[in-house]
């Protein structure tokens, strides 16, 4: 007995043949494009910070990278959660990918984000935009204690004071509304000037 609730235009003959993927946690470019057009994707984002002995934020790390059209933009640590991956594992993987293996992030004991951000392909729905997709992002403030040497597509990590990180200049350089996210991250830990 089938308990599937079909879509209005569903035809059982249209169902694709399902083959087990070579890597079950990853999608090909074609599969990713198809999924992005149909479903919101889950992401994790991290605002890397340096803290003093009392746990007060002294510096905020912002990544510099070139976007798809070659413009220099700023962003924060961000990436998808793979199928079967815990939020904690995804957060650690993306921190290591973007900041390097010697960053030594201090992951929270309880992976509770300071906020949930929704990215939409059309501006105006929320402060956050991503022209590729609708995404839901769990955002964390993560202290790092080691040396950060970006890998992948990030060119450098720029460390700045919380006051510098919330200026209009940095806000304009942060893509997709992430300036708002950085401000909310610093507010959540009492680090706004």
């Amino acid at each position: 007995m089938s308990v599937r609730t079909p879509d209005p235009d569903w035809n059982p003959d249209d169902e694709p043949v399902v083959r087990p993927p070579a890597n079950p946690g990853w999608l090909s470019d074609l599969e990713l494009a198809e999924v992005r057009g149909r479903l919101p994707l889950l992401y994790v984002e991290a605002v890397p910070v340096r803290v003093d002995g009392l746990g007060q934020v002294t510096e905020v790390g912002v990544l510099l990278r070139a976007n798809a059209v070659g413009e220099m933009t700023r962003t924060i640590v961000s990436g998808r959660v793979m199928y079967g991956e815990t939020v904690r594992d995804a957060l650690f993987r993306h921190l290591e990918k973007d900041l390097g293996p010697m960053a030594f992030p201090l992951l929270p004991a309880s992976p509770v984000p300071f906020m949930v951000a929704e990215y939409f392909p059309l501006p105006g729905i929320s402060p956050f935009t991503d022209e590729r997709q609708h995404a839901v992002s769990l955002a964390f403030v993560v202290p790092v204690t080691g040396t950060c040497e970006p890998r992948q597509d990030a060119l450098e990590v720029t460390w700045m004071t919380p006051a510098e990180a919330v200026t209009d200049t940095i806000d304009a350089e942060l893509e997709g509304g992430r300036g708002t996210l950085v401000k909310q991250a610093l507010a959540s830990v009492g680090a706004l000037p």
Side-chain angles (χ1 to χ4, degrees), residues 110-161:
S110 174
V112 177
F114 72 87
M115 81 170 293
V116 175
E118 279 191 279
Y119 289 84
F120 291 94
L122 301 172
I125 300 173
S126 88
F128 310 107
T129 59
D130 184 337
E131 71 272 354
R132 304 168 302 167
Q133 66 194 341
H134 175 195
V136 177
S137 177
L138 307 176
F140 300 86
V141 176
V142 180
V144 294
T145 59
T147 303
C148 296
E149 295 185 16
R151 303 178 341 174
Q152 304 291 327
D153 62 347
L155 302 173
E156 72 174 26
V157 178
T158 306
W159 292 98
M160 54 190 75
T161 67

Side-chain angles (χ1 to χ4, degrees), residues 17-94:
V17 176
V18 179
R19 292 184 184 94
N23 180 350
W26 208 249
L27 299 171
S28 71
D29 290 342
L30 183 61
E31 291 169 326
L32 180 58
E34 184 176 328
V35 169
R36 280 182 166 155
R38 299 176 138 231
L39 300 168
L41 293 177
L42 180 62
Y43 277 70
V44 290
E45 292 187 294
V47 177
V49 296
R50 299 227 188 254
V51 297
D52 63 16
L54 296 174
Q56 300 294 316
V57 173
T58 58
E59 292 181 305
V60 180
V62 180
L63 299 170
L64 179 68
R65 70 180 191 98
N67 66 15
V69 294
E71 300 169 333
M72 300 303 281
T73 61
R74 295 197 181 272
T75 192
I76 57 175
V77 173
S78 177
R80 288 191 314 271
V81 177
M82 293 192 308
Y83 180 80
E85 184 177 43
T86 67
V87 168
R88 177 182 299 283
D89 288 344
L91 189 57
F92 185 80
R93 179 171 57 84
H94 289 293

Side-chain angles (χ1 to χ4, degrees), residues 168-189:
D168 291 339
T169 304
I170 298 299
D171 184 48
E173 293 176 1
L174 283 160
E175 60 188 2
R178 286 185 176 89
T180 301
L181 194 73
V182 169
K183 288 175 187 168
Q184 291 176 348
L186 293 173
S188 77
V189 294

